[in-house]
Amino acid sequence: AALGYRSRARIAYERGRVGFRARASHEVVDVERCAVLDSATETELSRVRARPPRGSGELEIRGYGERIEIGERRFAVGPTAFFQANRPLWKRWQDAVVDACGRGERACELYCGVGFYTQPLAERFARVVAVERGPSARDARSNTRAEIVEAACEDWAPRGLAALAPELVLLNPPRGGCHRLVLDAIREARPRRVVYVSCEASTLARDVARLGAAFRVARLVVLDALPQTHHIEAIAVLDSV
């Protein structure tokens, strides 16, 4: 859906105005309705507008609670945890990524968040180790039977990947991409496949280049994940050569 798809948004408030910041500005533009928000998130926007917070600042509104169902799967999502914004794409997104991962004995997911991909991945591999830090790691522990390591990926990966020797590494980093130490560790571990889920094409290109000639891009899937914006989501499948 090009409109009415977004299940969360960051809004700004100042002196009774509630809405979004103007482009390249701190000005708060008062917004009664946003066409890309789904109905539940629109309701949250109206609730905030009915009683605007005092002072000025930003807050996140979500059209879902701390428990989410996607098909037969259930996820705990804490108040500060990241979750994909495009509700209609949740199931298709999940299936596309996990199908690209295949099946096997040992897999590692780095930057796993609340375990959105980890839960189905653990059904396809005999052993899955997933790494995340902060509150999202605690959500992931309740969402999946995978082994959850609460640590920064760049701290765990140099020794952890070498010890695990995974056949698959699944990457789902924030917009800034992967830490160089993570990419170095992947290059050393030489898994058969790397699946990289990216929300920023420039850092995906940078990180694939840093992995070097040890891997080739076997497939690239691009999703119009946030319609009406310039943002895309990409799934890059890299096979060892």
Side-chain angles (χ1 to χ4, degrees), residues 157-207:
R159 292 186 179 182
L161 282 179
L164 180 63
E167 300 153 80
L168 168 86
V169 173
L170 172 58
L171 299 168
N172 186 23
R175 197 171 299 280
C178 296
H179 194 284
R180 184 182 288 274
L181 290 176
V182 169
L183 299 170
D184 290 345
I186 293 171
R187 200 166 52 244
E188 289 294 320
R190 291 294 290 268
R192 287 208 308 255
R193 172 164 288 184
V194 175
V195 176
Y196 191 136
V197 183
S198 173
C199 58
E200 176 53 58
S202 62
T203 53
L204 171 63
R206 179 201 68 195
D207 290 350

Side-chain angles (χ1 to χ4, degrees), residues 10-58:
R10 178 160 291 276
I11 60 175
Y13 57 89
E14 183 177 44
R15 286 177 274 181
R17 295 196 305 276
V18 176
F20 301 100
R21 297 198 186 276
R23 182 169 180 166
S25 170
H26 292 294
E27 177 191 358
V28 177
V29 179
D30 197 58
V31 173
E32 292 185 10
R33 183 178 179 276
C34 178
V36 299
L37 299 184
D38 65 16
S39 59
T41 314
E42 277 278 7
T43 299
E44 285 299 299
L45 175 61
S46 297
R47 183 185 61 79
V48 176
R49 288 182 56 81
R51 298 186 65 181
R54 293 182 178 180
S56 62
E58 296 184 358

Side-chain angles (χ1 to χ4, degrees), residues 73 98 107 109 117-128 144-147:
R73 305 187 190 281
V98 176
E109 183 180 358
Y117 302 119
T118 322
Q119 188 184 117
L121 191 67
E123 298 168 3
R124 291 168 167 255
F125 286 79
R127 183 185 180 195
V128 174
T144 175
R145 64 179 180 82
E147 300 169 41

Side-chain angles (χ1 to χ4, degrees), residues 95-157:
D95 289 347
V97 170
V98 176
D99 286 349
C101 292
R103 297 177 182 271
E105 291 297 316
R106 296 176 311 282
C108 178
E109 183 180 358
L110 300 174
Y111 311 97
C112 75
V114 301
F116 179 70
Y117 302 119
T118 322
Q119 188 184 117
L121 191 67
E123 298 168 3
R124 291 168 167 255
F125 286 79
R127 183 185 180 195
V128 174
V129 176
V131 185
E132 185 55 88
R133 60 180 172 184
S136 291
R138 293 185 281 279
D139 287 333
R141 193 168 282 117
S142 70
N143 288 335
T144 175
R145 64 179 180 82
E147 300 169 41
I148 305 298
V149 177
E150 191 168 346
C153 292
E154 61 268 25
D155 294 337
W156 180 87

